């Protein structure tokens, strides 16, 4: 037996029209109302989140352009940042991997106490990470020192070459 329905057309906040079928029985009317409310919530979420995402994207690109400009202007700073990034990549990846594995283990064993246990693991792993990053910083300083020495020697050789050719 077919249930008689009434059809109404509604418009979302973005201007799209959709058809809502409302049944004459209370159960189908509830389902239609819930579906309509879910659709409106989805549309409202999209219209609210999009400007925030665009703002974050613009801020990210502006910051990246500014950082690139500064690094292009100062080659020794660029060498320092690249060397620090390269020497820190493995310890940070290990740290993130360790946190992911410990979080998975904690969540699979028990849901209670996850925050405390994960916090303890994070503190211990953060302490270990600190020493790896301190070592990376020392290595970066050493590498930057030698890069600076090479740069100064290169500039001196260029000056001597220019002076001898004149």
């Amino acid at each position: 037996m077919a249930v008689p329905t009434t059809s109404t057309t509604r418009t979302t906040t973005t201007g799209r029209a959709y058809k809502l079928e409302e049944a004459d029985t209370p159960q189908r009317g509830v389902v239609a109302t819930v579906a309509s409310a879910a659709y409106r919530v989805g549309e409202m979420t999209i219209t609210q989140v999009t400007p925030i995402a665009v703002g974050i994207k613009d801020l990210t690109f502006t910051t990246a352009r500014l950082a690139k400009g500064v690094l292009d202007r100062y080659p020794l700073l660029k060498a320092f940042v690249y060397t620090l990034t390269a020497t820190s990549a493995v310890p940070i990846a290990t740290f993130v991997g360790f946190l992911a594995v410990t979080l998975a283990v904690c969540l699979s064993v028990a849901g209670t106490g996850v925050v405390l246990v994960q916090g303890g693991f994070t503190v211990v792993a953060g302490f270990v990470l600190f020493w790896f990053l301190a070592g990376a910083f020392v290595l970066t300083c050493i590498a930057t020192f030698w890069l600076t020495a090479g740069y100064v020697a290169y500039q001196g050789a260029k000056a001597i070459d220019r002076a001898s050719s004149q």
Side-chain angles (χ1 to χ4, degrees), residues 4 16 27 31 40 53 64 74 77 85 102 106 123 125 135 142 146 150 156:
R16 280 191 255 157
Q27 293 85 4
V31 170
R40 284 194 305 260
Y74 301 103
L77 177 63
T85 303
T102 56
C106 288
V123 167
I142 292 169
W146 286 110

Side-chain angles (χ1 to χ4, degrees), residues 6 12 18 44 87 120 131 151 165:
T6 58
T12 65
Y18 64 98
M44 188 171 52
T87 56
W131 293 108
Y151 181 76
S165 66

Side-chain angles (χ1 to χ4, degrees), residues 116-146:
L116 294 175
V117 172
Q118 186 66 27
F121 285 143
T122 303
V123 167
V124 170
F127 181 76
V128 172
L129 175 67
F130 169 78
W131 293 108
F132 275 103
L133 291 179
F137 181 79
V138 169
L139 289 175
T140 300
C141 288
I142 292 169
T144 304
F145 169 78
W146 286 110

Side-chain angles (χ1 to χ4, degrees), residues 3 25 29 49-50 55 60 64 75 83 91 103 117 119 128 135-136 143 156 158:
V3 177
T25 62
V49 170
T50 301
T60 302
T83 308
L103 179 62
V117 172
V128 172
K158 273 182 19 181

